[in-house]
Every structure is written in C-alpha cells, then in structure tokens.
Amino acid sequence: MARTIEEIKREIAYNFMHDSVLAQKYGYEQDADFSATFSAVSMESILIYIVAVAIWALESLLDEHKSDVDARIEDILPHRPKWYRDMALKFMLGYTLVEDADYYDTSDMTDDEIEDARVVKYAAATEDEATSLLTIKIAGTDGNGTLIPIDDVEAQPAFEAYIKEIKDAGVRVNIVNQAADQFQCKLKIFYDAMLSASEVESRVEIAVKQYIQGLPFNGEYTNMALVDRLQLLDGVKIAEVTESKARPQDGSSWKNINVRYTPDAGYMTIDEIEMDLEAYS
C-alpha cells in the first residue's frame, strides 16, 4: 500500500539529518530535527517534497497495477461462491446482458434506474462440499426495507436465466427465493424485582426482534448470542433460552434449535415469543 507523502517526507528527512557527511557540510549536529534546522521554504525542504511526491506517485501506480493484475487473475480462475453472490446482486430485471459477456450496458442509465432494476437486494452463495451443489439464496425488499422474495412470476425466471448464462460450465446451481423462515422461542427471564414484569417483558421482546432482524443475510442464529443480547438489558439478571425452533416456508415441520441455525431462506421472522418471568432478589 502506498505511503502518504508526509510519511515519505519524514523518512527522507530522517535519513538526511542522520547522514554524517551532510551534517559536516551543513554544520548542524547529526540527528538534529529537520524542521528545526531548515525552513519550510528552504531549497532542501522543497527538494525533499518533490522527491516525496514522485515516490508517492510511483507507489500509487504500483498499487493500481497490482489491483489490476489481481482482478485479471480472478477473472481467469474458476469463480468462487463470493463471485456468484456479487453477480446475483448485479442482476437487472428487464435488461439483457451484453452479447457473450456477463455484464449489462448501463452507459445510458442513471444511478436511480440501475438501482431500481436491481431487484435482488440481498444474496448469499454457498457450496456443499459433499454434492458440489452451489446454493444461491436471494431476497428483495418491500417499501419499508423488510426482506421479501423477489417476484416469483416475472423476476425469478429472469434471474434463473441470468445465472444460467453467467455461471461456469458444469456448475450445478440451486436458487432459493422464498419467504422468511419462522422463528419461535421460549425464554426464562429472572428480572430485577424493583421493576415491573411488563416493562421487562417489553424490553426483552424488542431485543429478540432486533437480534433476529439484525442477523446478516444467511447469517447464523445461535441461542448463546441471543442470551448475550438479553443479558445486556437493564433489569435482566439472568436470561435463558429454554426452547427455540425454526420452520422454513416450504411446508417443513418445526426444527428444534439445539445450538445454532442458518435460515433456509437466508432470513427469519418471529412467529412467537413465550416468556416465563420471575423476580430476582
């Protein structure tokens, strides 16, 4: 990474002041401070600045060259799951790819038009090592920012055709575009006896909703993380998840969550929260 001009100047000035020959020629004490010896408009300061700028420009060009080489190597190598995730987010409904390419021609589009066409707002891609099946989970948003499936009548077939066009040959892809998994939990809460149970219950309910809604797309839920979040609440002395369940929207039955759970849809919504509250004193 390129150093700043100031960092380069300091290094040059340091070496300048520690040179015994220069110290003798100029008549200053070796190891003296450069800025205390030479003014900002002295020839020495100006020359050091010019050299520092030249070195900074060269280092910046080398950084840019390295990034370009890395990008070209990335394009040559078989694509990893992250590439599919990034490409899913670039899908544009109602537009076609440039012929024999994996990108759109957006030269005549405004930023707002591009954003509106990109109906996939969240995406994740993972590969099953046992089956070599690449699963791409996607979701859009409604007007309030709530995660929802993209339109399955128009958008999903277009998205499937898009992935078929851009994917590497031989890659088997499973696209998941479905409503949020449902989540249930039962909690045992010991609370500060000086507070009302209803007040604590409200805080806990809000915290659970914030935790579930705040999970990264396709992020992992854990009972421990939920407990950690609840333990931070004012008035909560002890929190325990006595039971937690999840159910995908594909008609599956409820699954008990023993430790952790990754939503089939990539995101969850709360179905029910049960609380057993007991004053702690």
Side-chain angles (χ1 to χ4, degrees), residues 59-88:
E59 291 184 358
S60 298
L61 288 172
L62 290 174
D63 280 350
E64 187 173 340
H65 174 69
K66 180 179 182 299
S67 298
D68 183 57
V69 170
D70 289 344
R72 290 175 183 270
I73 293 174
E74 185 75 17
D75 288 340
I76 295 172
L77 295 174
H79 296 119
R80 294 174 293 180
K82 182 182 179 299
W83 181 85
Y84 285 93
R85 178 256 183 195
D86 293 341
M87 293 301 291

Side-chain angles (χ1 to χ4, degrees), residues 10-251:
R10 282 199 300 269
E11 184 172 338
I12 296 174
Y14 176 85
N15 290 325
F16 186 97
M17 300 304 290
H18 282 69
D19 188 289
S20 58
V21 176
L22 290 174
Q24 182 179 4
K25 293 290 184 182
Y26 277 93
Y28 60 76
E29 288 189 18
Q30 191 174 350
D31 303 342
D33 181 72
F34 181 86
S35 59
T37 307
F38 298 93
S39 71
V41 294
S42 66
M43 183 62 68
E44 290 78 8
S45 294
I46 294 172
L47 287 174
I48 287 177
Y49 175 76
I50 292 172
V51 173
V53 170
I55 294 173
W56 169 81
L58 176 60
E59 291 184 358
S60 298
L61 288 172
L62 290 174
D63 280 350
E64 187 173 340
H65 174 69
K66 180 179 182 299
S67 298
D68 183 57
V69 170
D70 289 344
R72 290 175 183 270
I73 293 174
E74 185 75 17
D75 288 340
I76 295 172
L77 295 174
H79 296 119
R80 294 174 293 180
K82 182 182 179 299
W83 181 85
Y84 285 93
R85 178 256 183 195
D86 293 341
M87 293 301 291
L89 293 172
K90 293 178 180 178
F91 166 69
M92 296 174 62
L93 181 61
Y95 297 85
T96 58
L97 295 168
V98 173
E99 188 174 358
D100 295 328
D102 58 6
Y103 58 87
Y104 298 94
D105 181 4
T106 59
S107 57
D108 295 329
M109 300 177 65
T110 66
D111 290 343
D112 288 341
E113 288 174 336
I114 294 172
E115 184 63 25
D116 289 342
R118 289 179 174 169
V119 295
V120 176
K121 304 301 182 182
Y122 294 88
T126 56
E127 184 180 21
D128 188 313
E129 294 184 1
T131 63
S132 296
L133 179 66
L134 181 74
T135 296
I136 302 176
K137 299 180 183 181
I138 58 174
T141 56
D142 63 12
N144 298 318
T146 302
L147 273 66
I148 58 173
I150 66 172
D151 183 80
D152 59 357
V153 176
E154 181 181 2
Q156 181 162 341
F159 180 79
E160 290 173 352
Y162 167 79
I163 293 297
K164 184 178 180 180
E165 180 68 22
I166 67 169
K167 75 178 184 67
D168 293 326
V171 175
R172 297 188 302 121
V173 178
N174 172 42
I175 296 172
V176 177
N177 172 43
Q178 62 191 43
D181 292 21
Q182 294 177 301
F183 173 79
Q184 289 183 352
C185 66
K186 294 181 180 179
L187 307 172
K188 176 67 176 181
I189 304 294
F190 291 89
Y191 66 95
D192 190 332
M194 297 180 66
L195 301 175
S196 67
S198 60
E199 181 182 1
V200 174
E201 183 177 10
S202 176
R203 291 178 184 175
V204 170
E205 184 175 340
I206 291 172
V208 174
K209 290 180 179 178
Q210 288 177 339
Y211 171 67
I212 295 299
Q213 294 172 357
L215 287 171
F217 187 73
N218 206 43
E220 186 178 71
Y221 161 89
T222 67
N223 290 326
M224 181 180 293
L226 178 57
V227 169
D228 290 343
R229 175 68 64 87
L230 298 179
Q231 293 281 179
L232 297 175
L233 298 176
D234 290 338
V236 173
K237 296 296 186 180
I238 302 173
E240 180 184 358
V241 178
T242 57
E243 184 180 77
S244 59
K245 298 179 180 180
R247 180 175 67 183
Q249 291 285 2
D250 60 2

